[in-house]
Amino acid sequence: HRRCSPDDAAVVLFTSGSEGEPKGVVLSHGNIIANHKQLKARINFNPQDVVLNFLPMFHSFGFTVGTMLPVLNGMTTFFYPSPLHYSVIPEIAYDIGATIMFGTNTFLAAYAKKAHAYDFYNMRYVVAGAEKLQESTRHLWMDKFGIRILEGYGATETAPVTSVNTPMDYKAGSVGRFMPDMLYKLEPVEGIEHGGKLHVSGPNIMKGYLLPTNPGILVPPASVYGDGWYDTGDIVQVDDEGFIHIQGRSKRFAKISGEMVSLTAVEQLAGQAWPDGHHAVVALPDPKKGEQLVLLTNVKQATPKALAAASPGVAAINLPKKVMIVEHIPILGTGKTDYPGATQLAAEWLNAANTDDGDDA
C-alpha cells in the first residue's frame, strides 16, 4: 500500500463558472481536513446532529461541508439529489428531524415560501454561502421559523470556508470572521475608497489549478503577495471587530463616468424594491459613459422609474437605466446566478431592441 501524504491531491473540484470558464481546483487531504478543523473550532456540532444535504457533490460547498464534514465527524446525513424541489425539501427536514442545513440564498428563499412554519422545528444551524444572502431572506426565516441564518463566505480554492458567522460571533450583513489560522491582506483598488481586493493564506488554500489551456499541469495559486497566497478577486472591507463585509467581485464592478459601481449593491436595491423577485444586474459597454447597467428581473411591473422611486437618496449612477423582464434568470446547478448567460441575454435584447439611453423597460 502506498502511503499518502497530507499534501497529496485528494479531489479535483471545478469552479462554478458563474463568471467564465470553469477551472479544476486541486485540493489536498490536508486542505479538506484543515477546513473541517477550522469549522469545528468555531461551530459546535456532534454525532447527535442530523445533516440534510441537497447541494451537489461536484460543488465545494456540497462536497467538503455538506458531504465530507458529516461523514468524517460521525453525523447522520441525509442526501437529496436536487435542491430544486422546493416543496419536498422542507418536508424532508421535518421528517428526519434535521438539525443542520447548508444552502444558497436562492434555495433558502424558495424553501421558506413553500415550507410550513414548523418544518424546520429541530434546526440548530442553517448556513448560507455561495452567493449574497438577501435581507428579505434573512427576515423571512427569522419571522416564519425563528431561525437566524448564519451567512458564510468562501471559494472552491479555500476548500471552501474562508469565514462564517457563528452563534457566538454574529453580525448581520457580514459574512463573519476569518477561519482560525488564516491570514489576509487587502490590495488597494483604484476607485474603491474603503476596503480592497482580498488575498488570503492558510492551511485550507488549494494546491493549484488544472486549466483547460494547459491540461495536466498544476498551476499554483497566484497573488501579488507571493507563494501560498490566493487572490480571491473579491472586494471586501474588514471592520474593527474582524467581520468581513463583501462589496462584490472585482469583476462585478462597472466603471460608469469614471466611478466604480458595485453590481451586487445594485442587485440589493432591486431585492429591497421587489423582495419576491429574482434579479441580476450586468454591465454592458456604453459609448458615452464607458459602461451601462442592465437589470434582469422576473418582476413584471419592474421599471427604472419604479426602482428609482423605491430607492430614495440613491444616486442615479447606481441605478440601471434599462430593465429587461424575463421569465427566469439563468442559474447554474449550484444555485448561483449564471452571469455570462445573463450578460449574453441582455446584450442580445439590447441589440434586438436597438435601444438608446432612455428609460426603456
Side-chain angles (χ1 to χ4, degrees):
H1 293 292
R2 186 175 72 87
R3 292 182 67 86
C4 277
S5 158
D7 292 327
D8 287 348
V11 64
V12 178
L13 296 173
F14 286 83
T15 57
S16 64
S18 57
E19 291 175 357
E21 284 291 308
K23 301 185 282 283
V25 174
V26 180
L27 297 174
S28 70
H29 298 272
N31 291 152
I32 294 167
I33 298 299
N35 208 218
H36 286 183
K37 297 294 184 189
Q38 289 169 319
L39 265 176
K40 203 168 185 176
R42 291 285 166 85
I43 293 182
N44 167 44
F45 48 83
N46 58 63
Q48 278 71 53
D49 278 309
V50 178
V51 177
L52 171 56
N53 181 27
F54 43 77
L55 295 173
M57 289 189 201
F58 58 75
H59 185 235
S60 59
F61 197 19
F63 176 77
T64 305
V65 182
T67 304
M68 298 312 294
L69 180 75
V71 167
L72 294 178
N73 287 280
M75 293 185 272
T76 301
T77 315
F78 188 97
F79 294 106
Y80 190 76
S82 171
L84 300 173
H85 298 169
Y86 300 147
S87 300
V88 176
I89 285 166
E91 289 184 15
I92 291 173
Y94 174 81
D95 287 342
I96 67 173
T99 63
I100 298 177
M101 191 167 87
F102 310 103
T104 68
N105 177 78
T106 302
F107 297 147
L108 294 177
Y111 305 148
K113 286 168 192 165
K114 295 283 188 181
H116 183 277
Y118 199 59
D119 278 343
F120 301 113
Y121 74 97
N122 209 30
M123 202 66 73
R124 295 204 306 134
Y125 305 126
V126 175
V127 182
E131 62 178 345
K132 175 69 183 164
L133 180 67
Q134 299 298 329
E135 281 298 311
S136 54
T137 309
R138 189 196 310 280
H139 290 310
L140 181 55
W141 273 77
M142 181 53 79
D143 293 346
K144 190 168 183 179
F145 312 114
I147 291 174
R148 182 173 65 174
I149 296 176
L150 302 174
E151 187 178 5
Y153 159 71
T156 309
E157 292 87 344
T158 62
V161 185
T162 299
S163 67
V164 69
N165 278 287
T166 71
M168 183 181 285
D169 292 321
Y170 179 87
K171 188 176 280 190
S174 81
V175 292
R177 289 173 160 148
F178 287 101
M179 289 286 98
D181 210 19
M182 287 194 78
L183 302 174
Y184 78 93
K185 292 181 181 181
L186 297 183
E187 179 188 353
V189 176
E190 185 192 352
I192 303 292
E193 193 176 339
H194 302 291
K197 189 157 62 152
L198 177 66
H199 296 249
V200 290
S201 74
N204 53 324
I205 304 299
M206 65 170 179
K207 285 173 68 69
Y209 287 119
L210 294 176
L211 304 172
T213 50
N214 206 353
I217 306 297
L218 188 69
V219 181
S223 163
V224 294
Y225 296 111
D227 292 346
W229 286 85
Y230 162 63
D231 176 357
T232 67
D234 288 310
I235 309 291
V236 313
Q237 194 174 352
V238 181
D239 68 22
D240 294 342
E241 297 177 295
F243 286 91
I244 307 165
H245 302 264
I246 308 284
Q247 292 168 267
R249 300 284 297 155
S250 55
K251 291 179 184 175
R252 298 276 299 141
F253 276 77
K255 200 162 192 177
I256 301 172
S257 301
E259 285 194 43
M260 298 291 277
V261 175
S262 166
L263 306 188
T264 307
V266 182
E267 277 177 15
Q268 286 174 279
L269 292 176
Q272 288 162 12
W274 303 291
D276 292 335
H278 187 192
H279 318 285
V281 175
V282 299
L284 293 172
D286 182 294
K288 295 177 185 172
K289 296 182 178 179
E291 290 185 283
Q292 60 178 315
L293 305 182
V294 178
L295 167 66
L296 289 82
T297 178
N298 59 1
V299 175
K300 301 285 188 287
Q301 72 273 23
T303 65
K305 285 176 182 170
L307 181 57
S311 312
V314 175
I317 198 170
N318 292 316
L319 294 168
K321 295 289 186 289
K322 297 181 173 66
V323 173
M324 178 184 180
I325 310 295
V326 295
E327 200 66 39
H328 300 288
I329 303 286
I331 63 169
L332 302 161
T334 56
K336 287 186 182 180
T337 300
D338 176 4
Y339 285 110
T343 304
Q344 188 179 345
L345 260 184
E348 289 169 358
W349 173 71
L350 274 183
N351 288 337
N354 192 23
T355 51
D356 56 26
D357 278 342
D359 285 354
D360 296 13

